[in-house]
Amino acid sequence: MIWWQVLIVVVVSYFSGNISFSRMIANSKKQDITKLGSGNPGMTNVLRNYGFKFGLMNLALDMLKSLVPALVSYYVFGESYVMLYIAGVSAIFGHMFPVVYKFKGGKGVSSTIGMFMAANPIATLIMILIGAVVWLIFEYGAVVSFLAMSCLTIIEGLRARASLPELDSKIVCLLLFAVFLFTWYAHRKNIERLLLGKENKASIIKKTNKKLKTKKIKE
């Protein structure tokens, strides 16, 4: 692993994260996602404004922004978990701080899930299922984000300590901590609103029912 190879991975992955699918979805409807709802160019705001189908589409596409460069880097560099996480974290930071959008990006949850999916698909799928149940019960996307990020960070940190060489383990744990810290920081306003009881809800069921009712009326 040479420094210029790492640099290429960081740059390519970062600009992969700069792709804003939430903006593209809103633009297709001649709207600006940053002027709707919470103003956040991310999956939850897309769900609130355009319903379950577009929210799910946004989730999948944002996951791919980090999953693809992470997997490519993992295999190109001889199944290296260090390179997987370097690529994944770079894509996440590209999503959160995109230079093409003046560093005004999303909160990084979907892209972080994509990175974890590349590293540990079974644990990530289990957390997605648990998160979906929690979301259905509480209707707070932020709560699901906190739960998923915390659990997956701990799981992957412990796995790195148990299975990787000491130096690789320290690098992976440092990268995990950086993502954990920045995603929680990105949700600071959500935390404040949750504590004050003012957090906006995003009900999957209500949004889906609303779309179905609208479709029936049109028919």
Side-chain angles (χ1 to χ4, degrees):
M1 186 169 59
I2 307 171
W3 69 267
W4 60 265
Q5 293 175 325
V6 175
L7 181 62
I8 290 173
V9 169
V10 168
V11 172
V12 172
S13 301
Y14 172 81
F15 280 102
S16 171
N18 273 224
I19 302 170
S20 182
F21 292 108
S22 61
R23 286 183 171 90
M24 291 180 185
I25 291 171
N27 288 342
S28 70
K29 298 179 178 295
K30 298 181 180 180
Q31 293 179 314
D32 183 352
I33 193 66
T34 62
K35 295 179 180 178
L36 299 173
S38 65
N40 179 62
M43 184 273 292
T44 304
N45 202 27
V46 170
L47 173 66
R48 287 195 189 103
N49 288 282
Y50 302 121
F52 178 74
K53 181 177 72 174
F54 287 103
L56 185 62
M57 181 191 301
N58 200 146
L59 171 65
L61 291 171
D62 279 352
M63 285 174 60
L64 286 173
K65 292 196 300 187
S66 57
L67 187 150
V68 171
L71 280 181
V72 170
S73 299
Y74 174 74
Y75 287 110
V76 167
F77 292 94
E79 299 187 356
S80 169
Y81 275 99
V82 172
M83 294 305 294
L84 181 152
Y85 278 107
I86 288 174
V89 171
S90 299
I92 293 164
F93 276 80
H95 173 82
M96 296 175 71
F97 311 106
V99 65
V100 296
Y101 294 109
K102 299 180 180 179
F103 303 103
K104 296 178 181 179
K107 296 176 181 177
V109 176
S110 299
S111 294
T112 303
I113 292 173
M115 178 185 72
F116 282 130
M117 183 67 79
N120 193 341
I122 294 176
T124 305
L125 285 172
I126 292 172
M127 281 309 307
I128 289 174
L129 292 174
I130 294 172
V133 173
V134 172
W135 200 334
L136 285 170
I137 295 172
F138 296 103
E139 299 183 356
Y140 288 117
V143 173
V144 176
S145 300
F146 302 150
L147 176 67
M149 294 303 97
S150 300
C151 291
L152 288 171
T153 299
I154 293 170
I155 290 170
E156 283 304 287
L158 292 174
R159 193 163 76 109
R161 292 297 299 273
S163 61
L164 297 179
E166 185 176 358
L167 179 59
D168 289 358
S169 172
K170 288 181 178 178
I171 294 172
V172 168
C173 287
L174 182 62
L175 291 169
L176 286 169
F177 180 71
V179 171
F180 178 80
L181 188 66
F182 275 91
T183 50
W184 272 77
Y185 176 76
H187 285 83
R188 62 194 182 281
K189 291 183 180 178
N190 300 87
I191 296 171
E192 181 181 347
R193 288 195 295 267
L194 280 168
L195 294 174
L196 295 173
K198 297 180 179 180
E199 174 66 338
N200 298 318
K201 291 186 177 183
S203 174
I204 297 173
I205 294 175
K206 288 179 181 178
K207 285 293 180 182
T208 304
N209 288 339
K210 185 178 179 181
K211 289 290 182 181
L212 290 173
K213 288 179 181 178
T214 304
K215 185 177 180 181
K216 287 180 180 180
I217 292 172
K218 289 181 178 179
E219 290 175 350

